[in-house]
Amino acid sequence: MVQETAKNKRKKNNLPLRLNILFLVVFLAFAGLILRLGYVQIVKGDYYKGLANASKTQSARIESARGRIVDTNHVTLADNKAELAIVFIRNAGISAQESLGYARKLANFLTVDADVIKKVSDHDKREYYILTKFKKLSSAYDKYLSPAEQKKYAKKQSKAYKLLLSRVPKSELKGYSKKDVQIMAIQHAFNQASNLSPYIIKRGLKVSDKEYINVVDHLSDFNGAIQTADVSSRTYIKNKPFYVGKMGPIPEDKITGYLAQGYSRNTDVGISYLEDQYESYLRGVPMTLTYDTEKGLPVGNPTVKDGTRGDDLQLTVDIRLQKKLDQVLEQNILSARSEGNGQNNSAYAVMMNPKTGAILAIGGKKYENGKFTDVSSDSITSQFEMGSAVKGATELIGFQHNAVPSQFHDMPINYRGTKKYFKSWEVSGLGTLTPETALQFSSNVFMAKIVSNMAGISLIPSGGEYIARTPYVTNPKFIKAINDLRNGYSQFGLGVKTGIDLPTEGTGYNGGMPDTPGVIHQYAIGQFDTYTPLEMAQYISTIANGGYRMQPHLLESVHEPESDGENLGNTVYQFEPKVLGTIGNSKHDLARVQHGLYLVTHGARGTGSVFREQGQKYKVAAKTGTAQIDEKDLSLYNETLVSYAPYDDPQVAISVVVPKVRAGHQNQQIALEMYKEYDKFYHYTSK
């Protein structure tokens, strides 16, 4: 009994303790709840209020005009033509019948263009038939689908609807009036629109147009689904340079990314070159249409917030030089053909500031079927065998590997055990040469001596020629020499991307490892790997500016839009010249090669005879090149040139490629004409 009493006493003593703990837990819970409520209402009140208000509205956006593209002198290359448009803005609550109703109303006020009508398909006609002949869609299903089919596709409405449309007899798709076709065309356009993504029904309207006025007067009839908008069409200068690019529908492989940035599916974007490269600058801030919602769906007319035009691009290009270059290329193609070069039908050239990498002009012309077409893009994407124009780089690579002889006698090289010879253009040889005169006279054999020293090839004098003792192509020293050459050329931008600010560019063709050792001699004179004209411009610029490989660029600066649409606004971004790398040569090495390039155009019997005879005033340093391109026809070659001027303070570098010629100096003539034109505008010879 005593034990039971003790137990009961302990239970009574524990009960108040448990109740106190329970009360404490409840108190703390309520205290936490009150604190949280206070935090939400006071600290975060404005934030959550904004979220609540946001849930009561939905927005659509209409693209504003793009930024302009101008050349270095502010000449407009790409602009906008302002126009008014009628747009449809779909929301998820619009039924097919409502959409048809809007299409009928809109057809009373405007006529869509012929290209819109052409898009009307059998599918559109079948759908129009169903929507106009049956008040309820269920009635159409009852007529054209059996009960079993309806049951089968009860949970697959899209398949059921597709089957329904297919059952509409073809006889019912005939005899539609012009008004019916207009309605179908508008309905077709409506069907292309995504939810709250404005879709243009008709553009090119003016404020005074009757169609525009009628739509404006009846906007309230469409419950916000039809709106007017200020839009623009992209316009370009006549014969615009390729690098400006063009506009077009968003590519399928990029649609997801663009949608994530707030673009509509039917928005035109930059799809090539600078229009594509600088889309983020050129795109304006869209106009915003904000709708109130009921039950999560937009209703009524929206509140409109105007957008702003995109930023303007100023390029490094001088359109005066660009036009002249196009003209000079055409003239010289015709001149070459008149001199018996019937296979020549194209020419390419690049002008570049060697100190900054700024592109001044890029040209390419092709003559086919009696007329010229612009192929300027080939100057950055297509590769050519460049021949002796690369010899400046060959010598500098040789200097890096202590492989350049101070003097060497030029005479033919005989590959032991074969009947093949390697020789310079003067069959009997060019005599004893230094690195400078080897460039002046364009010695093949001197370049062969450089790479022979690198590759372990012995050239043994024997009766007016050299006998070449060559290692196997698997010899480590030979393999290293090929790799050293390729790596060396890449220091100048040959065989690698130049880094130009365009979405795509070529890198030329890498010939890999030669099958026979003598090929290394061909490699040294530009007849193994291939390069683009742009790479050649970067290469000669690297020599001209003292050894810095500069990134070629077309963008000079980005500017805020000015209200007058003509002047440039505040600078948003200024392109800073970028050094991509430096070559591994001393100033002394560079000076020797630069002097050799000077002798090409100023020394007696230098291969730059056109400059020596006609262009001394323009102070050009250069290297000419001829690359044989057909083993069965050695008189057919690519005629090339790299150059810069003035040689004592370079301002401009020019590379030229004239494929498939047999005679003449079109490479030099093209460059000389462009130096004359550059001097006419920038007066460097008078300084």
Side-chain angles (χ1 to χ4, degrees):
M1 187 73 169
V2 175
Q3 289 180 349
E4 289 181 0
T5 303
K7 287 182 180 178
N8 291 336
K9 205 168 186 180
R10 281 198 299 270
K11 287 181 180 179
K12 287 179 181 180
N13 290 337
N14 289 337
L15 184 60
L17 177 62
R18 292 177 181 175
L19 285 174
N20 288 336
I21 293 173
L22 178 61
F23 288 146
L24 178 61
V25 170
V26 171
F27 171 78
L28 291 175
F30 272 102
L33 184 61
I34 291 169
L35 287 172
R36 180 62 184 169
L37 185 61
Y39 174 78
V40 169
Q41 289 185 326
I42 298 171
V43 180
K44 287 289 190 176
D46 290 339
Y47 172 75
Y48 287 110
K49 185 178 179 181
L51 289 180
N53 290 335
S55 67
K56 295 178 182 179
T57 62
Q58 291 187 20
S59 297
R61 298 197 288 183
I62 297 176
E63 294 296 320
S64 298
R66 288 172 76 78
R68 297 180 301 133
I69 301 176
V70 302
D71 85 335
T72 190
N73 298 310
H74 299 196
V75 176
T76 300
L77 308 180
D79 205 344
N80 307 290
K81 178 183 177 183
E83 55 189 10
L84 296 170
I86 307 299
V87 300
F88 172 68
I89 302 176
R90 173 180 295 284
N91 72 65
I94 297 178
S95 67
Q97 285 289 354
E98 286 177 305
S99 178
L100 177 63
Y102 291 149
R104 280 174 163 166
K105 287 180 183 179
L106 195 58
N108 291 327
F109 307 133
L110 61 78
T111 301
V112 295
D113 300 327
D115 60 335
V116 180
I117 291 175
K118 287 179 182 177
K119 295 178 181 178
V120 174
S121 63
D122 273 359
H123 179 278
D124 297 314
K125 293 178 181 179
R126 293 174 187 274
E127 189 168 59
Y128 184 73
Y129 171 81
I130 293 294
L131 293 174
T132 55
K133 296 299 182 182
F134 298 91
K135 291 184 178 180
K136 295 182 178 180
L137 194 58
S138 59
S139 300
Y141 281 120
D142 289 340
K143 180 172 181 178
Y144 291 112
L145 273 66
S146 68
E149 288 174 325
Q150 291 188 50
K151 183 178 180 180
K152 178 180 178 181
Y153 295 110
K155 294 183 179 181
K156 300 176 181 178
Q157 288 300 309
S158 61
K159 290 188 176 181
Y161 189 67
K162 185 176 180 180
L163 181 60
L164 170 64
L165 294 184
S166 71
R167 295 283 173 84
V168 176
K170 287 188 177 181
S171 59
E172 300 289 356
L173 307 182
K174 299 177 181 179
Y176 285 118
S177 66
K178 289 184 178 180
K179 183 68 173 291
D180 288 327
V181 174
Q182 284 283 320
I183 296 170
M184 280 187 264
I186 294 172
Q187 180 77 343
H188 173 88
F190 286 178
N191 290 340
Q192 309 311 304
S194 302
N195 190 44
L196 288 179
S197 292
Y199 192 93
I200 295 175
I201 305 302
K202 186 167 184 175
R203 66 191 307 157
L205 298 170
K206 299 177 182 177
V207 175
S208 58
D209 289 344
K210 185 177 180 180
E211 289 183 323
Y212 183 78
I213 294 171
N214 285 339
V215 172
V216 170
D217 288 344
H218 293 85
L219 283 178
S220 60
D221 296 346
F222 297 95
N223 196 31
I226 297 296
Q227 294 292 329
T228 60
D230 296 320
V231 296
S232 62
S233 298
R234 199 62 159 163
T235 60
Y236 297 102
I237 190 174
K238 185 179 179 182
N239 299 322
K240 73 174 174 71
F242 82 95
Y243 41 75
V244 171
K246 63 180 181 179
M247 305 285 294
I250 299 173
E252 283 298 323
D253 61 334
K254 296 182 179 180
I255 189 71
T256 302
Y258 276 105
L259 291 178
Q261 297 175 54
Y263 286 78
S264 300
R265 285 184 179 273
N266 70 322
T267 301
D268 278 353
V269 298
I271 58 173
S272 65
Y273 300 112
L274 293 176
E275 289 277 25
D276 178 14
Q277 182 78 11
Y278 295 111
E279 170 70 23
S280 60
Y281 283 122
L282 290 167
R283 184 197 186 194
V285 177
M287 178 174 72
T288 304
L289 309 176
T290 303
Y291 294 82
D292 291 328
T293 62
E294 289 182 6
K295 297 180 180 180
L297 298 175
V299 295
N301 290 314
T303 301
V304 179
K305 181 180 179 182
D306 290 333
T308 57
R309 185 168 66 81
D311 293 330
D312 296 330
L313 304 186
Q314 183 177 18
L315 306 186
T316 59
V317 172
D318 187 330
I319 197 63
R320 299 171 301 179
L321 293 174
Q322 182 65 63
K323 289 180 177 179
K324 181 65 175 181
L325 179 57
D326 292 340
Q327 177 188 349
V328 168
L329 291 174
E330 290 184 3
Q331 290 172 345
N332 277 272
I333 290 171
L334 293 177
S335 176
R337 292 173 68 84
S338 70
E339 294 177 7
N341 294 294
Q343 288 180 267
N344 170 244
N345 67 345
S346 62
Y348 309 88
V350 176
M351 298 182 69
M352 174 174 162
N353 183 320
K355 294 179 180 178
T356 67
I359 296 293
L360 306 176
I362 301 177
K365 291 291 181 177
K366 181 169 284 189
Y367 185 74
E368 292 178 311
N369 302 319
K371 63 179 182 180
F372 283 100
T373 55
D374 188 88
V375 290
S376 299
S377 60
D378 288 353
S379 292
I380 66 168
T381 59
S382 294
Q383 66 270 359
F384 303 89
E385 291 184 11
M386 296 299 182
S388 297
V390 306
K391 287 177 179 174
T394 301
E395 283 201 356
L396 286 167
I397 296 167
F399 279 125
Q400 292 175 18
H401 295 276
N402 300 311
V404 181
S406 58
Q407 288 187 342
F408 189 69
H409 193 79
D410 183 301
M411 56 186 181
I413 298 173
N414 182 320
Y415 297 109
R416 187 175 57 174
T418 73
K419 295 182 180 180
K420 293 183 178 181
Y421 280 86
F422 182 86
K423 51 196 173 187
S424 297
W425 56 272
E426 181 65 63
V427 177
S428 60
L430 293 169
T432 300
L433 304 171
T434 64
E436 292 85 351
T437 56
L439 292 173
Q440 176 183 353
F441 303 130
S442 195
S443 169
N444 291 342
V445 173
F446 194 94
M447 305 303 145
K449 175 59 177 173
I450 292 173
V451 295
S452 292
N453 289 344
M454 293 171 63
I457 297 174
S458 299
L459 301 180
I460 311 300
S462 176
E465 64 183 24
Y466 293 107
I467 304 298
R469 292 181 178 175
T470 59
Y472 291 112
V473 293
T474 55
N475 182 285
K477 187 172 184 177
F478 181 85
I479 293 172
K480 183 178 184 299
I482 292 293
N483 290 332
D484 286 342
L485 273 176
R486 190 160 283 128
N487 292 334
Y489 288 129
S490 71
Q491 294 176 26
F492 298 87
L494 296 174
V496 294
K497 287 189 175 182
T498 66
I500 190 170
D501 52 341
L502 291 175
T504 57
E505 68 163 312
T507 58
Y509 175 74
N510 183 325
M513 195 61 60
D515 293 329
T516 56
V519 172
I520 196 172
H521 294 157
Q522 299 293 337
Y523 193 4
I525 62 170
Q527 298 200 173
F528 188 53
D529 284 1
T530 61
Y531 312 114
T532 68
L534 177 62
E535 287 178 300
M536 296 297 281
Q538 187 181 52
Y539 139 59
I540 196 61
S541 293
T542 304
I543 293 177
N545 67 32
Y548 300 96
R549 182 164 76 94
M550 304 302 299
Q551 177 188 355
H553 61 97
L554 289 151
L555 180 67
E556 185 172 313
S557 53
V558 181
H559 300 266
E560 293 177 348
E562 278 287 348
S563 56
D564 61 11
E566 294 182 4
N567 297 310
L568 294 177
N570 294 329
T571 301
V572 174
Y573 171 76
Q574 182 72 46
F575 192 100
E576 295 295 333
K578 184 177 181 181
V579 178
L580 300 179
T582 56
I583 60 175
N585 290 93
S586 67
K587 290 183 179 180
H588 179 69
D589 294 343
L590 270 165
R592 297 193 71 177
V593 171
Q594 289 167 344
H595 183 60
L597 299 177
Y598 170 83
L599 292 176
V600 169
T601 55
H602 292 78
R605 294 172 55 225
T607 57
S609 58
V610 171
F611 295 102
R612 186 174 65 253
E613 295 166 5
Q614 303 176 32
Q616 288 289 304
K617 173 183 177 181
Y618 301 103
K619 304 178 182 178
V620 177
K623 184 67 198 77
T624 59
T626 53
Q628 294 172 333
I629 55 176
D630 188 344
E631 291 183 358
K632 297 180 180 179
D633 186 354
L634 298 182
S635 65
L636 187 68
Y637 52 86
N638 291 339
E639 196 173 60
T640 64
L641 176 85
V642 290
S643 60
Y644 60 89
Y647 56 80
D648 52 355
D649 183 22
Q651 293 184 25
V652 57
I654 301 178
S655 67
V656 180
V657 178
V658 186
K660 298 179 182 179
V661 296
R662 297 185 187 279
H665 299 291
Q666 303 309 319
N667 54 344
Q668 297 181 55
Q669 292 289 357
I670 290 169
L672 179 57
E673 287 300 314
M674 293 314 301
Y675 283 116
K676 289 179 180 178
E677 194 73 3
Y678 182 88
D679 187 50
K680 184 172 79 173
F681 296 129
Y682 297 97
H683 313 292
Y684 74 84
T685 58
S686 61
K687 294 178 181 179

